[in-house]
């Protein structure tokens, strides 16, 4: 059985989009960056820890394959996770306004026999935002559970001028790379029967 170690509705939607059957096994881990940890190492560590934690919690770990994933926004060499408050979200959006940043997503797929971790980076360029726009966007509530305080697949789409790279990576799961990884673990994509 294949499990998704995430409560993210976006990751559920993306896996469903490519016809992957899965069960949910969300986990809660400490997502604090370690001292001196760069973005790639950070998201890869968290993705793997999520998958390992979920696998250890299952009743049938011998038969299970688990996917863990983590997404972070990087600007000025700083890791930007989910905002802690509206004020924090505002600071992040002001920093992103008119600037280029990177979105890193790591995907870890593990079983008791093997584990693979990959990460993908996408460049995102924001248009210049007014303070009124930033406040109005925060008032929608959408930024509060998103890395970097925005969701490209939602209302935040109008904040983005353009991207270079994988769109689904910015949403939270790079589908091309994820599908290839799942195939290595004999997890089918484009399956006719879906479940979530």
């Amino acid at each position: 059985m294949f499990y998704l170690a995430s409560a993210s509705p976006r990751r559920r939607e993306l896996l469903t989009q490519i016809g992957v059957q899965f069960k949910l096994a969300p986990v809660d881990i400490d997502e604090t960056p370690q001292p001196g940890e760069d973005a790639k190492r950070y998201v890869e560590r968290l993705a793997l820890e999520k998958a390992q934690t979920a696998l250890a919690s299952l009743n049938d770990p011998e038969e299970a394959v688990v996917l863990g994933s983590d997404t972070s926004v990087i600007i000025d060499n700083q890791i930007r996770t989910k905002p802690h408050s509206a004020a924090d979200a505002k600071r992040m959006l002001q920093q992103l306004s008119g600037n280029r940043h990177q979105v890193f997503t790591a995907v870890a797929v593990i079983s008791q026999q093997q584990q693979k971790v990959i990460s993908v980076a996408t460049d995102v360029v924001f248009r210049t935002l007014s303070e009124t726009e930033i406040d109005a966007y925060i008032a929608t509530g959408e930024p509060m559970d998103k890395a970097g305080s925005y969701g490209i697949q939602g209302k935040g789409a109008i904040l983005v001028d353009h991207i270079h790279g994988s769109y689904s990576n910015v949403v939270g799961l790079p589908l091309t790379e994820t599908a290839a990884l799942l195939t290595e673990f004999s997890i089918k994509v484009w399956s006719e029967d879906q479940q979530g």
Side-chain angles (χ1 to χ4, degrees):
M1 175 56 68
F2 177 56
Y3 294 87
L4 173 63
S6 174
S8 165
R10 295 162 295 281
R11 292 194 180 107
R12 291 200 304 265
E13 289 166 8
L14 288 166
L15 282 178
T16 300
Q17 179 182 325
I18 60 171
V20 175
Q21 297 182 41
F22 61 92
K23 288 187 176 181
L24 295 176
V27 295
D28 188 19
I29 66 168
D30 180 5
E31 299 190 6
T32 306
Q34 295 177 349
E37 190 171 42
D38 68 23
K40 183 175 186 290
R41 188 172 295 122
Y42 170 71
V43 293
E44 289 180 351
R45 176 176 62 82
L46 289 189
L48 187 57
E49 283 183 15
K50 289 176 183 179
Q52 290 170 336
T53 301
L55 184 64
S57 73
L58 297 175
N59 293 327
D60 58 343
E62 299 83 9
E63 304 300 320
V65 175
V66 179
L67 184 151
S69 186
D70 190 74
T71 300
S72 288
V73 166
I74 313 302
I75 186 165
D76 298 333
N77 294 317
Q78 296 175 316
I79 298 170
R80 296 297 186 209
T81 56
K82 297 172 185 175
H84 305 295
S85 63
D88 191 28
K90 185 168 185 174
R91 278 191 297 274
M92 284 192 217
L93 290 165
Q94 287 171 333
Q95 190 178 22
L96 296 175
S97 174
N99 288 315
R100 176 187 302 267
H101 64 274
Q102 283 192 308
V103 176
F104 276 88
T105 298
V107 181
V109 179
I110 71 168
S111 67
Q112 286 196 332
Q113 291 74 40
Q114 62 175 325
Q115 63 183 37
K116 294 274 183 80
V117 184
I118 58 105
S119 57
V120 176
T122 301
D123 289 330
V124 181
V125 179
F126 263 38
R127 63 181 179 79
T128 300
L129 310 175
S130 68
E131 185 170 356
T132 302
E133 285 179 302
I134 291 172
D135 289 341
Y137 181 53
I138 292 170
T140 70
E142 185 176 85
M144 302 314 297
D145 68 338
K146 310 286 192 303
S149 302
Y150 76 96
I152 196 171
Q153 74 289 346
K155 296 174 179 72
I158 64 171
L159 309 178
V160 176
D161 184 72
H162 61 277
I163 72 170
H164 296 284
S166 167
Y167 170 81
S168 62
N169 181 57
V170 182
V171 178
L173 200 65
L175 287 180
T176 299
E177 294 81 0
T178 298
L181 205 52
L182 293 179
T183 301
E184 289 187 44
F185 283 77
S186 301
I187 303 299
K188 293 180 181 178
V189 298
W190 299 334
S191 178
E192 292 180 13
D193 300 317
Q194 296 178 14
Q195 61 192 45

